[in-house]
mmCIF file of all heavy atoms in Angstrom:
data_model
loop_
_atom_site.group_PDB
_atom_site.id
_atom_site.type_symbol
_atom_site.label_atom_id
_atom_site.label_comp_id
_atom_site.label_asym_id
_atom_site.label_seq_id
_atom_site.Cartn_x
_atom_site.Cartn_y
_atom_site.Cartn_z
ATOM 1 N N ASP A 539 9.743 -18.557 21.201
ATOM 2 C CA ASP A 539 8.321 -18.324 21.399
ATOM 3 C C ASP A 539 7.685 -19.599 21.971
ATOM 4 O O ASP A 539 8.386 -20.571 22.272
ATOM 5 C CB ASP A 539 7.640 -17.852 20.107
ATOM 6 C CG ASP A 539 7.648 -18.890 18.984
ATOM 7 O OD1 ASP A 539 7.852 -20.101 19.247
ATOM 8 O OD2 ASP A 539 7.429 -18.485 17.827
ATOM 9 N N SER A 540 6.370 -19.612 22.090
ATOM 10 C CA SER A 540 5.687 -20.753 22.712
ATOM 11 C C SER A 540 5.766 -22.031 21.881
ATOM 12 O O SER A 540 5.524 -23.118 22.394
ATOM 13 C CB SER A 540 4.222 -20.409 23.000
ATOM 14 O OG SER A 540 3.556 -20.097 21.799
ATOM 15 N N SER A 541 6.140 -21.918 20.607
ATOM 16 C CA SER A 541 6.321 -23.098 19.752
ATOM 17 C C SER A 541 7.769 -23.566 19.716
ATOM 18 O O SER A 541 8.089 -24.534 19.029
ATOM 19 C CB SER A 541 5.874 -22.784 18.317
ATOM 20 O OG SER A 541 4.520 -22.434 18.301
ATOM 21 N N GLY A 542 8.641 -22.855 20.416
ATOM 22 C CA GLY A 542 10.055 -23.211 20.438
ATOM 23 C C GLY A 542 10.873 -22.554 19.340
ATOM 24 O O GLY A 542 12.077 -22.780 19.239
ATOM 25 N N VAL A 543 10.247 -21.715 18.509
ATOM 26 C CA VAL A 543 10.954 -21.019 17.442
ATOM 27 C C VAL A 543 11.722 -19.853 18.046
ATOM 28 O O VAL A 543 11.156 -19.038 18.792
ATOM 29 C CB VAL A 543 9.968 -20.505 16.363
ATOM 30 C CG1 VAL A 543 10.686 -19.681 15.310
ATOM 31 C CG2 VAL A 543 9.214 -21.667 15.746
ATOM 32 N N VAL A 544 13.019 -19.762 17.746
ATOM 33 C CA VAL A 544 13.855 -18.691 18.272
ATOM 34 C C VAL A 544 13.747 -17.471 17.352
ATOM 35 O O VAL A 544 13.871 -17.581 16.140
ATOM 36 C CB VAL A 544 15.328 -19.146 18.404
ATOM 37 C CG1 VAL A 544 16.217 -17.992 18.838
ATOM 38 C CG2 VAL A 544 15.424 -20.304 19.399
ATOM 39 N N HIS A 545 13.516 -16.320 17.959
ATOM 40 C CA HIS A 545 13.405 -15.053 17.231
ATOM 41 C C HIS A 545 14.551 -14.141 17.653
ATOM 42 O O HIS A 545 14.912 -14.092 18.821
ATOM 43 C CB HIS A 545 12.071 -14.366 17.544
ATOM 44 C CG HIS A 545 10.884 -15.131 17.093
ATOM 45 N ND1 HIS A 545 10.340 -14.980 15.842
ATOM 46 C CD2 HIS A 545 10.135 -16.077 17.717
ATOM 47 C CE1 HIS A 545 9.303 -15.781 15.715
ATOM 48 N NE2 HIS A 545 9.161 -16.465 16.850
ATOM 49 N N SER A 546 15.064 -13.392 16.691
ATOM 50 C CA SER A 546 16.127 -12.418 16.937
ATOM 51 C C SER A 546 15.560 -11.016 16.800
ATOM 52 O O SER A 546 14.980 -10.669 15.760
ATOM 53 C CB SER A 546 17.259 -12.615 15.923
ATOM 54 O OG SER A 546 18.104 -11.482 15.909
ATOM 55 N N LEU A 547 15.746 -10.196 17.806
ATOM 56 C CA LEU A 547 15.266 -8.825 17.776
ATOM 57 C C LEU A 547 15.902 -8.052 16.621
ATOM 58 O O LEU A 547 15.225 -7.329 15.904
ATOM 59 C CB LEU A 547 15.558 -8.133 19.110
ATOM 60 C CG LEU A 547 15.152 -6.672 19.207
ATOM 61 C CD1 LEU A 547 13.647 -6.509 19.039
ATOM 62 C CD2 LEU A 547 15.615 -6.089 20.538
ATOM 63 N N LYS A 548 17.210 -8.209 16.426
ATOM 64 C CA LYS A 548 17.893 -7.478 15.345
ATOM 65 C C LYS A 548 17.339 -7.849 13.971
ATOM 66 O O LYS A 548 17.157 -6.984 13.123
ATOM 67 C CB LYS A 548 19.393 -7.699 15.401
ATOM 68 C CG LYS A 548 20.027 -6.929 16.531
ATOM 69 C CD LYS A 548 21.499 -6.763 16.368
ATOM 70 C CE LYS A 548 21.996 -5.934 17.534
ATOM 71 N NZ LYS A 548 23.250 -5.334 17.328
ATOM 72 N N VAL A 549 17.064 -9.105 13.759
ATOM 73 C CA VAL A 549 16.489 -9.544 12.479
ATOM 74 C C VAL A 549 15.105 -8.925 12.297
ATOM 75 O O VAL A 549 14.772 -8.406 11.222
ATOM 76 C CB VAL A 549 16.432 -11.087 12.396
ATOM 77 C CG1 VAL A 549 15.599 -11.536 11.208
ATOM 78 C CG2 VAL A 549 17.836 -11.672 12.336
ATOM 79 N N GLU A 550 14.297 -8.963 13.328
ATOM 80 C CA GLU A 550 12.930 -8.444 13.240
ATOM 81 C C GLU A 550 12.898 -6.939 13.027
ATOM 82 O O GLU A 550 12.080 -6.441 12.263
ATOM 83 C CB GLU A 550 12.116 -8.824 14.483
ATOM 84 C CG GLU A 550 11.863 -10.309 14.626
ATOM 85 C CD GLU A 550 11.102 -10.917 13.452
ATOM 86 O OE1 GLU A 550 10.242 -10.234 12.849
ATOM 87 O OE2 GLU A 550 11.368 -12.087 13.134
ATOM 88 N N THR A 551 13.776 -6.189 13.694
ATOM 89 C CA THR A 551 13.744 -4.727 13.551
ATOM 90 C C THR A 551 14.060 -4.293 12.128
ATOM 91 O O THR A 551 13.525 -3.290 11.656
ATOM 92 C CB THR A 551 14.708 -4.022 14.528
ATOM 93 O OG1 THR A 551 16.034 -4.496 14.322
ATOM 94 C CG2 THR A 551 14.300 -4.235 15.960
ATOM 95 N N LYS A 552 14.888 -5.046 11.435
ATOM 96 C CA LYS A 552 15.249 -4.694 10.054
ATOM 97 C C LYS A 552 14.074 -4.835 9.091
ATOM 98 O O LYS A 552 14.063 -4.241 8.025
ATOM 99 C CB LYS A 552 16.413 -5.558 9.577
ATOM 100 C CG LYS A 552 17.709 -5.229 10.270
ATOM 101 C CD LYS A 552 18.822 -6.154 9.837
ATOM 102 C CE LYS A 552 20.084 -5.836 10.623
ATOM 103 N NZ LYS A 552 21.164 -6.760 10.324
ATOM 104 N N LYS A 553 13.081 -5.617 9.468
ATOM 105 C CA LYS A 553 11.936 -5.896 8.596
ATOM 106 C C LYS A 553 10.839 -4.831 8.670
ATOM 107 O O LYS A 553 9.934 -4.828 7.850
ATOM 108 C CB LYS A 553 11.288 -7.229 8.985
ATOM 109 C CG LYS A 553 12.152 -8.437 8.819
ATOM 110 C CD LYS A 553 11.374 -9.660 9.296
ATOM 111 C CE LYS A 553 12.182 -10.917 9.309
ATOM 112 N NZ LYS A 553 11.389 -12.056 9.830
ATOM 113 N N ASN A 554 10.896 -3.947 9.658
ATOM 114 C CA ASN A 554 9.774 -3.063 9.948
ATOM 115 C C ASN A 554 10.178 -1.593 9.960
ATOM 116 O O ASN A 554 11.340 -1.264 10.174
ATOM 117 C CB ASN A 554 9.185 -3.428 11.321
ATOM 118 C CG ASN A 554 8.883 -4.898 11.410
ATOM 119 O OD1 ASN A 554 8.020 -5.395 10.702
ATOM 120 N ND2 ASN A 554 9.627 -5.625 12.235
ATOM 121 N N LYS A 555 9.188 -0.748 9.793
ATOM 122 C CA LYS A 555 9.427 0.690 9.894
ATOM 123 C C LYS A 555 9.786 1.049 11.333
ATOM 124 O O LYS A 555 10.642 1.884 11.599
ATOM 125 C CB LYS A 555 8.183 1.459 9.442
ATOM 126 C CG LYS A 555 8.376 2.940 9.366
ATOM 127 C CD LYS A 555 7.193 3.614 8.701
ATOM 128 C CE LYS A 555 7.450 5.097 8.512
ATOM 129 N NZ LYS A 555 6.343 5.739 7.810
ATOM 130 N N VAL A 556 9.131 0.379 12.267
ATOM 131 C CA VAL A 556 9.410 0.575 13.686
ATOM 132 C C VAL A 556 9.004 -0.694 14.439
ATOM 133 O O VAL A 556 8.027 -1.349 14.093
ATOM 134 C CB VAL A 556 8.687 1.826 14.254
ATOM 135 C CG1 VAL A 556 7.186 1.674 14.195
ATOM 136 C CG2 VAL A 556 9.141 2.153 15.661
ATOM 137 N N THR A 557 9.782 -1.029 15.457
ATOM 138 C CA THR A 557 9.492 -2.191 16.301
ATOM 139 C C THR A 557 9.339 -1.712 17.738
ATOM 140 O O THR A 557 10.164 -0.940 18.231
ATOM 141 C CB THR A 557 10.626 -3.230 16.223
ATOM 142 O OG1 THR A 557 10.780 -3.636 14.857
ATOM 143 C CG2 THR A 557 10.338 -4.443 17.086
ATOM 144 N N LEU A 558 8.287 -2.172 18.369
ATOM 145 C CA LEU A 558 8.068 -1.880 19.778
ATOM 146 C C LEU A 558 8.495 -3.104 20.571
ATOM 147 O O LEU A 558 7.905 -4.179 20.432
ATOM 148 C CB LEU A 558 6.600 -1.556 20.051
ATOM 149 C CG LEU A 558 6.235 -1.293 21.512
ATOM 150 C CD1 LEU A 558 7.003 -0.093 22.058
ATOM 151 C CD2 LEU A 558 4.731 -1.087 21.654
ATOM 152 N N LEU A 559 9.537 -2.947 21.360
ATOM 153 C CA LEU A 559 10.008 -4.008 22.246
ATOM 154 C C LEU A 559 9.347 -3.799 23.602
ATOM 155 O O LEU A 559 9.430 -2.713 24.172
ATOM 156 C CB LEU A 559 11.528 -3.961 22.372
ATOM 157 C CG LEU A 559 12.189 -4.890 23.387
ATOM 158 C CD1 LEU A 559 11.887 -6.348 23.092
ATOM 159 C CD2 LEU A 559 13.697 -4.641 23.428
ATOM 160 N N ILE A 560 8.683 -4.841 24.066
ATOM 161 C CA ILE A 560 8.000 -4.769 25.362
ATOM 162 C C ILE A 560 8.586 -5.832 26.282
ATOM 163 O O ILE A 560 8.617 -7.013 25.937
ATOM 164 C CB ILE A 560 6.489 -5.037 25.237
ATOM 165 C CG1 ILE A 560 5.839 -4.104 24.228
ATOM 166 C CG2 ILE A 560 5.814 -4.931 26.608
ATOM 167 C CD1 ILE A 560 4.388 -4.470 23.914
ATOM 168 N N PHE A 561 9.022 -5.419 27.444
ATOM 169 C CA PHE A 561 9.397 -6.358 28.502
ATOM 170 C C PHE A 561 8.248 -6.379 29.488
ATOM 171 O O PHE A 561 7.810 -5.329 29.967
ATOM 172 C CB PHE A 561 10.689 -5.921 29.190
ATOM 173 C CG PHE A 561 11.895 -6.064 28.318
ATOM 174 C CD1 PHE A 561 12.435 -4.964 27.687
ATOM 175 C CD2 PHE A 561 12.476 -7.304 28.119
ATOM 176 C CE1 PHE A 561 13.549 -5.092 26.868
ATOM 177 C CE2 PHE A 561 13.589 -7.453 27.303
ATOM 178 C CZ PHE A 561 14.124 -6.332 26.672
ATOM 179 N N TRP A 562 7.757 -7.565 29.775
ATOM 180 C CA TRP A 562 6.593 -7.708 30.632
ATOM 181 C C TRP A 562 6.644 -9.038 31.373
ATOM 182 O O TRP A 562 7.552 -9.832 31.173
ATOM 183 C CB TRP A 562 5.317 -7.602 29.801
ATOM 184 C CG TRP A 562 5.091 -8.794 28.908
ATOM 185 C CD1 TRP A 562 5.805 -9.140 27.797
ATOM 186 C CD2 TRP A 562 4.118 -9.815 29.087
ATOM 187 N NE1 TRP A 562 5.320 -10.305 27.256
ATOM 188 C CE2 TRP A 562 4.283 -10.742 28.025
ATOM 189 C CE3 TRP A 562 3.118 -10.035 30.026
ATOM 190 C CZ2 TRP A 562 3.471 -11.875 27.903
ATOM 191 C CZ3 TRP A 562 2.318 -11.160 29.885
ATOM 192 C CH2 TRP A 562 2.497 -12.054 28.828
ATOM 193 N N ALA A 563 5.639 -9.270 32.207
ATOM 194 C CA ALA A 563 5.504 -10.550 32.914
ATOM 195 C C ALA A 563 4.026 -10.787 33.210
ATOM 196 O O ALA A 563 3.260 -9.836 33.408
ATOM 197 C CB ALA A 563 6.292 -10.527 34.218
ATOM 198 N N SER A 564 3.634 -12.045 33.229
ATOM 199 C CA SER A 564 2.229 -12.380 33.461
ATOM 200 C C SER A 564 1.762 -11.963 34.851
ATOM 201 O O SER A 564 0.589 -11.660 35.054
ATOM 202 C CB SER A 564 1.999 -13.877 33.268
ATOM 203 O OG SER A 564 2.701 -14.613 34.234
ATOM 204 N N TRP A 565 2.674 -11.920 35.816
ATOM 205 C CA TRP A 565 2.330 -11.560 37.185
ATOM 206 C C TRP A 565 2.290 -10.040 37.405
ATOM 207 O O TRP A 565 1.895 -9.568 38.465
ATOM 208 C CB TRP A 565 3.321 -12.173 38.173
ATOM 209 C CG TRP A 565 4.756 -12.046 37.752
ATOM 210 C CD1 TRP A 565 5.514 -13.011 37.148
ATOM 211 C CD2 TRP A 565 5.599 -10.901 37.864
ATOM 212 N NE1 TRP A 565 6.783 -12.529 36.879
ATOM 213 C CE2 TRP A 565 6.864 -11.241 37.312
ATOM 214 C CE3 TRP A 565 5.435 -9.621 38.373
ATOM 215 C CZ2 TRP A 565 7.925 -10.347 37.255
ATOM 216 C CZ3 TRP A 565 6.490 -8.731 38.315
ATOM 217 C CH2 TRP A 565 7.721 -9.106 37.765
ATOM 218 N N CYS A 566 2.670 -9.269 36.396
ATOM 219 C CA CYS A 566 2.738 -7.812 36.501
ATOM 220 C C CYS A 566 1.381 -7.198 36.175
ATOM 221 O O CYS A 566 0.951 -7.198 35.023
ATOM 222 C CB CYS A 566 3.814 -7.277 35.556
ATOM 223 S SG CYS A 566 3.805 -5.489 35.352
ATOM 224 N N GLU A 567 0.706 -6.687 37.190
ATOM 225 C CA GLU A 567 -0.629 -6.121 37.021
ATOM 226 C C GLU A 567 -0.614 -4.927 36.061
ATOM 227 O O GLU A 567 -1.505 -4.790 35.216
ATOM 228 C CB GLU A 567 -1.178 -5.699 38.381
ATOM 229 C CG GLU A 567 -2.636 -5.344 38.356
ATOM 230 C CD GLU A 567 -3.189 -5.085 39.747
ATOM 231 O OE1 GLU A 567 -2.889 -5.866 40.668
ATOM 232 O OE2 GLU A 567 -3.929 -4.097 39.889
ATOM 233 N N HIS A 568 0.379 -4.072 36.184
ATOM 234 C CA HIS A 568 0.478 -2.908 35.289
ATOM 235 C C HIS A 568 0.665 -3.365 33.834
ATOM 236 O O HIS A 568 0.089 -2.787 32.920
ATOM 237 C CB HIS A 568 1.621 -1.994 35.737
ATOM 238 C CG HIS A 568 1.778 -0.765 34.916
ATOM 239 N ND1 HIS A 568 0.796 0.191 34.803
ATOM 240 C CD2 HIS A 568 2.797 -0.348 34.141
ATOM 241 C CE1 HIS A 568 1.215 1.153 34.008
ATOM 242 N NE2 HIS A 568 2.418 0.852 33.583
ATOM 243 N N CYS A 569 1.444 -4.423 33.619
ATOM 244 C CA CYS A 569 1.627 -4.968 32.263
ATOM 245 C C CYS A 569 0.290 -5.412 31.694
ATOM 246 O O CYS A 569 -0.059 -5.081 30.551
ATOM 247 C CB CYS A 569 2.563 -6.169 32.279
ATOM 248 S SG CYS A 569 4.229 -5.828 32.863
ATOM 249 N N ARG A 570 -0.431 -6.172 32.473
ATOM 250 C CA ARG A 570 -1.715 -6.710 32.013
ATOM 251 C C ARG A 570 -2.724 -5.594 31.745
ATOM 252 O O ARG A 570 -3.555 -5.693 30.850
ATOM 253 C CB ARG A 570 -2.270 -7.711 33.020
ATOM 254 C CG ARG A 570 -1.367 -8.906 33.332
ATOM 255 C CD ARG A 570 -1.146 -9.834 32.149
ATOM 256 N NE ARG A 570 -2.298 -10.614 31.793
ATOM 257 C CZ ARG A 570 -2.576 -11.825 32.235
ATOM 258 N NH1 ARG A 570 -1.748 -12.441 33.062
ATOM 259 N NH2 ARG A 570 -3.657 -12.452 31.850
ATOM 260 N N ASP A 571 -2.627 -4.493 32.515
ATOM 261 C CA ASP A 571 -3.498 -3.341 32.294
ATOM 262 C C ASP A 571 -3.163 -2.624 30.988
ATOM 263 O O ASP A 571 -4.058 -2.091 30.323
ATOM 264 C CB ASP A 571 -3.394 -2.339 33.453
ATOM 265 C CG ASP A 571 -4.028 -2.842 34.738
ATOM 266 O OD1 ASP A 571 -4.809 -3.824 34.686
ATOM 267 O OD2 ASP A 571 -3.734 -2.267 35.798
ATOM 268 N N GLU A 572 -1.884 -2.585 30.628
ATOM 269 C CA GLU A 572 -1.434 -1.876 29.424
ATOM 270 C C GLU A 572 -1.715 -2.667 28.144
ATOM 271 O O GLU A 572 -1.916 -2.083 27.081
ATOM 272 C CB GLU A 572 0.074 -1.597 29.501
ATOM 273 C CG GLU A 572 0.477 -0.607 30.569
ATOM 274 C CD GLU A 572 0.459 0.832 30.090
ATOM 275 O OE1 GLU A 572 -0.276 1.151 29.133
ATOM 276 O OE2 GLU A 572 1.180 1.635 30.685
ATOM 277 N N LEU A 573 -1.727 -3.992 28.215
ATOM 278 C CA LEU A 573 -1.808 -4.818 27.008
ATOM 279 C C LEU A 573 -3.048 -4.600 26.141
ATOM 280 O O LEU A 573 -2.934 -4.617 24.915
ATOM 281 C CB LEU A 573 -1.617 -6.290 27.353
ATOM 282 C CG LEU A 573 -0.182 -6.677 27.700
ATOM 283 C CD1 LEU A 573 -0.107 -8.144 28.106
ATOM 284 C CD2 LEU A 573 0.786 -6.381 26.576
ATOM 285 N N PRO A 574 -4.250 -4.380 26.695
ATOM 286 C CA PRO A 574 -5.389 -4.118 25.800
ATOM 287 C C PRO A 574 -5.193 -2.879 24.917
ATOM 288 O O PRO A 574 -5.544 -2.885 23.741
ATOM 289 C CB PRO A 574 -6.569 -3.943 26.763
ATOM 290 C CG PRO A 574 -6.176 -4.742 27.964
ATOM 291 C CD PRO A 574 -4.684 -4.549 28.085
ATOM 292 N N ASP A 575 -4.608 -1.810 25.484
ATOM 293 C CA ASP A 575 -4.338 -0.610 24.691
ATOM 294 C C ASP A 575 -3.277 -0.879 23.632
ATOM 295 O O ASP A 575 -3.378 -0.392 22.500
ATOM 296 C CB ASP A 575 -3.888 0.545 25.582
ATOM 297 C CG ASP A 575 -5.004 1.060 26.474
ATOM 298 O OD1 ASP A 575 -6.190 0.871 26.122
ATOM 299 O OD2 ASP A 575 -4.692 1.652 27.519
ATOM 300 N N VAL A 576 -2.269 -1.646 23.990
ATOM 301 C CA VAL A 576 -1.216 -2.010 23.040
ATOM 302 C C VAL A 576 -1.828 -2.835 21.906
ATOM 303 O O VAL A 576 -1.555 -2.586 20.728
ATOM 304 C CB VAL A 576 -0.070 -2.794 23.732
ATOM 305 C CG1 VAL A 576 0.940 -3.294 22.718
ATOM 306 C CG2 VAL A 576 0.600 -1.941 24.796
#
């Protein structure tokens, strides 16, 4: 993450009822449009 802490998707998914994995980019206009709803 932005603080340098490494996160594991598998570890995180086990902690939650459901995990939403999002692949995005700052330059992606469609991504930026979707983020407020997310």
Side-chain angles (χ1 to χ4, degrees):
D539 65 19
S540 61
S541 299
V543 175
V544 175
H545 296 271
S546 164
L547 178 62
K548 286 198 178 199
V549 169
E550 294 300 327
T551 58
K552 291 177 183 176
K553 297 178 186 178
N554 308 294
K555 186 171 185 177
V556 64
T557 301
L558 177 61
L559 173 60
I560 305 171
F561 290 101
W562 71 290
S564 65
W565 44 261
C566 169
E567 191 173 315
H568 182 61
C569 299
R570 302 294 289 268
D571 289 344
E572 293 271 25
L573 286 177
D575 291 336
V576 174

